Each structure stands twice: as structure tokens, then as C-alpha cells.
Amino acid sequence: MQKLQGKAVCRGIVMGPVSVLRKEEQQVKRRRITDADAEILRFTESVEQSKLQLVELYDKAVMQAGESGAAIFEVHRMMLEDEDYLDAIHSMIRTEMVNAEYAAAVTGDNFSEMFAGMDDAYMKARAADVKDISERLVRNLKGEIETGLLYREPSVIVADDLSPSETIQMEKENILGFVTVHGSTNSHTAILARMMNIPALIGVQVDLEQLHTGMTALVDAFSEEVIFEPSEEMRKKAEEKIRGEQEKLLMLQSLKGQQNITSDGHKIDIYANIGSVSDVGYVLENDAGGIGLFRSEFLYLGRNDFPTEEEQFLAYRQVLQTMAGKKVVIRTLDIGADKKVDYFGLENEANPAMGYRAIRICLKRPDIFKTQLRALWRAAVYGNLSVMYPMITSVEEVENIRAVTEEIKGDLDREGIPYQVPEQGIMIETPAAVMVSDELAELVDFFSIGTNDLTQYTLAIDRQNEQIEEFYNPHHKGILRMIRMVVDNAHKAGKWVGICGELGADTELTETFIRMGVDELSVAPAMVLKVRKKVRPCKALD
Ligand code: PEP
Ligand code: MG
């Protein structure tokens, strides 16, 4: 038995088998060999094994994401038949008399560099693919298991740290809980855990080497502790607590179908935040009135190439159709900072949170932006869509966005493609946007306040930095005054205003927000009924 403390980023209690995610950089050592034929045979076997895995992955992905989502695995399988690539590895094994792992890794790096240096965007994107297949070959040569295949049964994932793209690729049904050594409460990985309602602890000083897959972990994110190999007595107590929590959840169910109306008759909308099409199930299950933030950038993570207009259109249409006329606010691409994607070819930055991200990328790379906007405008025909733009700092940016949306409108008209212009708003998540919110309100249909970034930029605290978490205080008077100012400016211009940052779900502030006049709160699906419970006894006026 080992008991360790951590910090809860999503409350809950679970018990189940451990899956340890080890992801040290693949260490590939150069080794001299004596029999080149035997080494090439070993290599050929790993190629065959890799092809079989890719067929299996393709079949699985077709079921989860359709043919277009699965296509990448077919591309990878075909790359394993590319003669130039295979010849380069064979030749290195023979001429340098080195092990197959080394030859595959070096050739993978060389080909990847070559693709990355090409002008053609399609070829550029192949750089990540060739690296992926080389890593697969090396893994198979070393007899290692692929991380994605570990979670064949529901498990508690224990890792050093998790990136948003790793988290989004996991099969949600097979994750009971998360325990990580590092991480911060306000990172997107923590937000994802809350969106999926998966109990999660960060900052747990566990030695991963001491753990092995199959051990039992009891994650109590209420008391903020994890127990590995709990005693019989601890298990019994935990089971009781789990039953108690389930009963509380059942009681919340009675709020389904009820209105979000205060005791003095003021109504507020409670919507849900999602990151993928499959999250819509949680939105409906928790009786949210709509979707207040669909972080569309998650469609871009965990893949090797840009999603096409058609893929995006189908995803957005599916969400709109499933929500059947309820409001769906889709935020345009907010890539950058902690949400990294290799195929965007972004440089490493010293201050990524203050760097090249979100609308800055979209305005500088209109090809990417227009593809997304076309998909959104086309999907708008199928439901009640609102589109919002992240990381706005100025009136000029909104004007530049408008110029792009006018262009795509003209294009769609010319091409005779059906579309509808959605309601359009912006996120208020920079102090600059707050200060010019009076002018911005004249230009847009609504505001949604992103308190996660607004706190980061106002208090000058990197939301990713676990060392300074104690200073990250979204209850700071400065933040609350800003929210009030934004609400007042929106209302003066007759526009609605919501909060979609994590603060929207903070029930200590629900009454404050209602009194300020906030029109909508968009929260993790599992928080919808809890916030509703808080709203009903509140008073909007004294
Ligand atoms: C925010 O900044 O509050 C927000 C909702 O956006 P994200 O957390 O995705 O940056
Ligand atoms: Mg933000």
C-alpha cells in the first residue's frame, strides 16, 4: 500500500487497475551487427507486424471517425511499402553494419527533414507521418507496446504529464481516472478531464518505475489522495464513498427538465463546453440548454494533417443536428500555447502563451482559416450555430475577420454552395479586449468571457506553470471588475454575454454573476446540474 497526496483538478472517486504511461523519448542506440541478412530479416518482420497493426487501427478508426478520419492509417501502411524508404534502411544496415532500430530511426529523421523542407504543403505534412512510422518500426523491433493499445480495459492512467493531444486520443470509455506527477489546474489537459468528468489528480510525487500495469489504484479526488494497492478495509470504505457519490448524482437528476430561474424570477442560460463531437452525448445527458463553447481546435489535435473542409463540415453538422435547434457556439481554431500540432510547423517560442496562437495564426494563414469558416458557414444551415473568435485584442482584428468572412461568402455564392451566415461573437480573454469592449460590442453579436486566459494575462501568471499556481486567483477583484465592465458594455450595445472559462462553473460566484447580469454560463457538462441547483435559490436583485 502506498498513499500519496496530489491536487484535484476534477473531483470524484474511482478505483481500478493502473495503466502506466511511460513516454521517455525513444532511446535508440547504435549497435554493430555481424549478420546483415539476419538483421534485414528482423527488420522485414517488424514491417509486416507494423502493417498488421495499421490495418487494425484503420478498422477501429473507421468505426470511430469514419473513412476520412481513418485514412491516415492507410497512408502509413502504404508508406511502409515505399521502396526508397525501405531501400535506405536496408542499405544502411548493410553498408554500416548497424542494428535495424538505429537504421530505421536515422532514416526516419532524414526523410522527415527532407519532407519538412519541401514547399508543397501536402509533402510537408508527410514529415510527421514518416516519423510516426519509423517510431512504430522501432517500437516493434524493441518489442514495446504502443501506448494507445494499453487501455484495453477501464484503467487509472498514471503518467509523468499528459499533453492535450495525448489526452484527446485516449478512448474515454477506458479511462477511470488520471494521476500525473506534473501538470497545472488550468492547463487544457485538466480542462479535458473536467469536460469528460474523469477524476484527476496532478502533482502526485509517484515514482513511475515502482508501478506496474495491473496494480490497483484508488483515486480519491475529494480528499486529494491516491492509494496504490489499497488494503481490504480501504477498498470497502472507498466502495461506500463511491456509492454515496452515485446517490448524490441521482439526486441531481431530479433537476433535469427544470429551468435555470432564480427565486425572484430571473432566467440564465446554462450551456456546456465540449472538445469533440462525441462529447455531445454528455451535453444531452446533463440537460444543458446548448453548447456554449466547442473548442474546435481539438479536431486538429492527435492527427498528422489538417482536417479537410468536408471533415470539419461533417463534424459541425453532426453536432448541430444532434443538438436539434439548441444553440451551439463553435469557437474557431485556438491552436498554439499548450495545444501543439506538428503539421502547423510552428516554431518553438520562449513565451508561447503570449505568442503566435489562435486568431493570430488564422489571420496570418487565411488558407487554414477559410477552410474552417467555409465548413462552419455550410454547417450553419443544419441548426442554431454561433461562431466565436478567440484571443481578440482589438477592433482591427474583428474588422480583418469580417473581411475574410465576406470573402468566403462571395466564394460560396459563386460556387452555388448552400450556406447561412451564423451569429458571430468574440471571446473576451485579454485585458485589451476588456478595455475596448464598448467598441467591440458594436461590431459583434455577443461576447463570451474566457476567464482562464483573462486571469493569466491580467495577473501575469502563466496558466501552465505549476510553480506559481498559488498566485492564479480568478477571484481577484481585478478580474471581477473586468467581468462587470464587459457585461455592462455588452448590454449597452444590446448584446448578450456569457462566461465560458472555468470560473463560470465556480458555484461560489454564481450569485455574483447573476447579479452582474451575465446572460449565460457555459460549463463542463457534469457541472450543468450543479450550477442549476445553485441558481434556483439565488436572488438576482436585493
Ligand atoms: C478561456 O481562456 O477561458 C477559454 C475558455 O479558452 P481556453 O481555456 O480554451 O483557452
Ligand atoms: Mg482561452
Side-chain angles (χ1 to χ4, degrees), residues 162-172 175 178 189 192-193 196:
L162 287 167
S163 70
S165 58
E166 281 164 338
T167 314
I168 198 82
Q169 284 183 78
M170 292 178 183
E171 285 178 17
K172 289 175 203 163
I175 312 172
F178 288 120
T189 303
L192 275 173
M196 299 189 272

Side-chain angles (χ1 to χ4, degrees), residues 23 50 95 158 188 198 212:
K23 42 168 186 173
S50 302
T95 53
V158 186
H188 282 92
I198 291 173
H212 57 82

Side-chain angles (χ1 to χ4, degrees), residues 64-117:
Q64 283 182 1
E67 301 251 348
S68 55
I72 192 65
F73 298 114
E74 179 60 7
V75 171
H76 282 194
R77 200 191 55 75
M78 274 155 47
M79 279 177 139
L80 281 173
E81 285 170 1
D82 183 278
E83 285 192 4
D84 291 335
Y85 174 69
L86 296 177
D87 282 351
I89 296 174
H90 291 174
S91 146
M92 185 178 280
I93 293 175
R94 257 188 220 296
T95 53
E96 298 186 32
M97 292 303 278
V98 287
N99 52 324
E101 289 88 339
Y102 181 78
V106 172
T107 308
D109 285 348
N110 291 346
F111 272 63
S112 167
E113 250 173 56
M114 177 182 78
F115 284 133

Side-chain angles (χ1 to χ4, degrees), residues 188 331 334 357 391 427 429 450 452-453 463:
H188 282 92
R331 173 175 78 184
D334 185 2
R357 61 174 283 201
M391 281 291 290
M427 292 201 58
E429 50 184 346
N452 310 334
D453 278 317
R463 63 193 265 198

Side-chain angles (χ1 to χ4, degrees), residues 186-188 191 273 293 295 297-298 331 334 338-339 357 388 390-391 427-429 448-457 463 472 499-503:
N186 308 296
S187 68
H188 282 92
I191 289 173
N273 294 348
L293 168 64
R295 288 180 164 93
E297 60 275 11
F298 286 121
R331 173 175 78 184
D334 185 2
D338 61 329
K339 288 171 284 194
R357 61 174 283 201
M388 74 175 166
M391 281 291 290
M427 292 201 58
I428 302 286
E429 50 184 346
S448 187
I449 306 174
T451 50
N452 310 334
D453 278 317
L454 188 58
T455 306
Q456 149 164 274
Y457 298 124
R463 63 193 265 198
Y472 186 97
I499 298 179
C500 63
E502 297 296 284
L503 200 63

Side-chain angles (χ1 to χ4, degrees), residues 252-281:
L252 268 183
Q253 303 301 307
S254 64
L255 285 171
K256 281 193 183 168
Q258 305 284 333
Q259 300 254 45
N260 313 307
I261 296 191
T262 60
S263 59
D264 54 354
H266 180 83
K267 186 172 178 299
I268 184 166
D269 287 317
I270 305 180
Y271 293 166
N273 294 348
I274 63 165
S276 69
V277 177
S278 58
D279 291 343
V280 179

